[in-house]
């Protein structure tokens, strides 16, 4: 039986990698993918807790997170398409209209 | 046996996650992310969360990543553009990285392994019973959220005008100028 701590360590590593990617990447689509990675890391720890504490609420919460992630991906990618149509770029350093 | 399987899956998922970050081609980093999701689905099966594993494959690896790949191909993004003028903040990276590592280490250093006796199998029946009794209101709210997301996506991605924004601005300025000159001409005529 794999102990709980292994799952939590894997979840923390994946979340950290997602957070690092969030800061390192400049492509807005890559940043979006890093957010998805972080959401999945959290899902892993929720499912692990749900399985080890023998309570299904964690998995129901994962269900809600998946719904939110799907909605976020749909709206976010629509926003990206709209931004690309206006600015011809997906580089976040060039999307600085609000900075001035 | 189970530990070996866990280590293999964890290794693949971490390697794929690193590839997501350091891959310059956005399409390949999307494919790596699909590999991460697949490994996580296998881990969910090991944790006896079969429904979540199936949803992971169907919703994440199926629907969301197909959407990502579709948008990447639609926008035709091949390589990330190189930029040289962001190196002035490099000195900040070391202290912040050390801080993050210490934080992760502190968080991970005092994990206690808990295990409650009993069985909790996350199949469709047990999850559905929770979803349609205790958590009925959040479930209905998620359906409203999905509806709003559909409407929002359609509104945001709709093509509003045929000409780009700069040309529209120029056109409006030209029209305003024409109107002014028309007025002044009218005054002269009067």
């Amino acid at each position: 039986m794999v102990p709980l701590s292994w799952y939590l360590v894997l979840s923390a590593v994946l979340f950290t990698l997602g957070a690092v990617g969030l800061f390192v990447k400049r492509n807005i689509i890559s940043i979006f993918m890093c957010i998805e990675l972080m959401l999945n890391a959290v899902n892993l720890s929720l499912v692990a807790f749900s399985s080890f504490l023998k309570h299904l609420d964690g998995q129901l919460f994962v269900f809600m997170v998946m719904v939110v992630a799907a909605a976020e991906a749909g709206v976010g990618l629509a926003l990206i398409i709209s931004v690309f149509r206006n600015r011809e770029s997906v580089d976040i350093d060039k999307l600085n209209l609000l900075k001035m | 046996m189970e530990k070996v399987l866990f280590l293999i899956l964890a290794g693949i998922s971490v390697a794929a996650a690193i590839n997501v970050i350091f891959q310059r081609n956005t399409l390949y980093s999307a494919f790596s992310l699909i590999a991460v999701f697949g490994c996580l689905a296998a881990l969910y099966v090991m944790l006896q969360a079969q429904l979540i594993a199936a949803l992971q494959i169907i919703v994440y690896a199926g629907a969301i990543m197909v959407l990502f790949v579709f948008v990447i191909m639609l926008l035709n993004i091949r390589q990330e553009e190189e930029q040289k003028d962001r190196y002035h903040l490099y000195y900040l990276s070391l202290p912040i990285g050390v801080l993050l590592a210490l934080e992760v280490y502190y968080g991970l250093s005092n994990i206690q392994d808990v295990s409650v006796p009993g069985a909790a199998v996350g199949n469709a029946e047990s999850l559905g019973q929770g979803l349609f009794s205790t958590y009925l209101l959040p479930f209905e709210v998620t359906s409203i959220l999905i509806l709003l997301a559909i409407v929002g996506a359609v509104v945001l991605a709709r093509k509003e005008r045929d000409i780009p924004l700069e040309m529209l601005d120029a056109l409006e300025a030209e029209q305003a100028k024409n109107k002014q000159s028309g007025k002044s001409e009218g005054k002269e005529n009067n």
Side-chain angles (χ1 to χ4, degrees):
Chain A
M1 190 72 187
V2 185
L4 172 64
S5 54
W6 291 25
Y7 287 103
L8 296 184
V9 169
L10 177 63
S11 167
V13 168
L14 286 179
F15 189 89
T16 312
L17 283 171
V20 168
L22 195 67
F23 289 114
V24 168
K25 300 296 262 188
R26 288 191 289 277
N27 189 333
I28 194 166
I29 293 183
S30 302
I31 288 173
F32 235 94
M33 289 196 284
C34 289
I35 293 174
E36 297 289 336
L37 189 59
M38 289 160 76
L39 283 172
N40 267 275
V42 174
N43 279 356
L44 177 63
S45 68
L46 280 172
V47 172
F49 275 125
S50 154
S51 170
F52 277 87
L53 297 176
K54 304 288 186 296
H55 208 282
L56 286 176
D57 283 1
Q59 295 183 25
L60 292 172
F61 205 82
V62 169
F63 180 82
M64 305 292 172
V65 172
M66 277 183 180
V67 171
V68 172
E72 173 223 345
V75 175
L77 289 170
L79 268 175
I80 290 174
I81 289 178
S82 164
V83 164
F84 186 81
R85 198 175 276 148
N86 281 325
R87 308 296 296 258
E88 299 282 318
S89 167
V90 287
D91 192 334
I92 51 161
D93 285 345
K94 291 180 184 160
L95 306 178
N96 53 3
L97 200 65
L98 284 177
K99 223 164 115 182
M100 289 187 254
Chain B
M1 179 60 203
E2 217 170 317
K3 285 185 177 175
V4 174
L5 196 60
F6 175 86
L7 286 179
I8 292 172
L9 288 170
I12 295 174
S13 61
V14 170
I18 290 173
N19 194 36
V20 170
I21 298 176
F22 291 106
Q23 179 66 247
R24 300 205 72 82
N25 192 328
T26 316
L27 196 58
Y28 291 158
S29 105
F31 289 152
S32 301
L33 197 58
I34 294 177
V36 177
F37 291 165
C39 290
L40 285 181
L43 288 174
Y44 293 160
V45 173
M46 281 171 63
L47 286 167
Q48 288 169 334
Q50 290 99 337
L51 181 68
I52 296 294
L55 284 180
Q56 172 88 3
I57 295 290
I58 295 169
V59 175
Y60 264 116
I64 295 182
M65 287 320 289
V66 164
L67 205 60
F68 269 93
V69 171
F70 184 77
V71 169
I72 291 168
M73 288 182 164
L74 186 72
L75 301 186
N76 201 11
I77 305 156
R78 294 228 173 268
Q79 299 281 327
E80 272 189 38
E81 297 155 34
E82 283 282 347
Q83 273 203 337
K84 297 286 180 198
D85 57 345
R86 272 172 55 116
Y87 293 131
H88 60 280
L89 287 175
Y90 254 20
Y91 63 93
L92 274 178
S93 63
L94 190 67
I96 290 179
V98 169
L99 197 69
L100 184 65
L102 281 178
E103 216 173 283
V104 172
Y105 176 75
Y106 176 75
L108 294 181
S109 60
N110 45 15
I111 294 176
Q112 290 168 343
D113 283 321
V114 288
S115 192
V116 177
V121 181
N123 53 21
E125 186 191 349
S126 54
L127 279 188
Q129 267 173 355
L131 215 53
F132 286 105
S133 58
T134 320
Y135 295 101
L136 185 61
L137 181 64
F139 180 69
E140 296 296 336
V141 172
T142 53
S143 68
I144 295 174
L145 179 72
I146 286 283
L147 182 67
L148 287 178
I150 294 170
V151 175
V154 169
V155 168
L156 284 172
R158 188 187 51 180
K159 199 165 191 176
E160 286 182 23
R161 48 183 85 88
D162 293 332
I163 44 178
L165 213 59
E166 293 90 345
M167 274 179 68
L168 196 77
D169 287 341
L171 212 68
E172 276 176 358
E174 206 173 32
Q175 279 177 348
K177 203 188 288 177
N178 283 345
K179 209 177 273 179
Q180 270 191 343
S181 59
K183 266 183 192 170
S184 55
E185 276 175 16
K187 272 177 192 170
E188 281 173 10
N189 285 344
N190 284 341

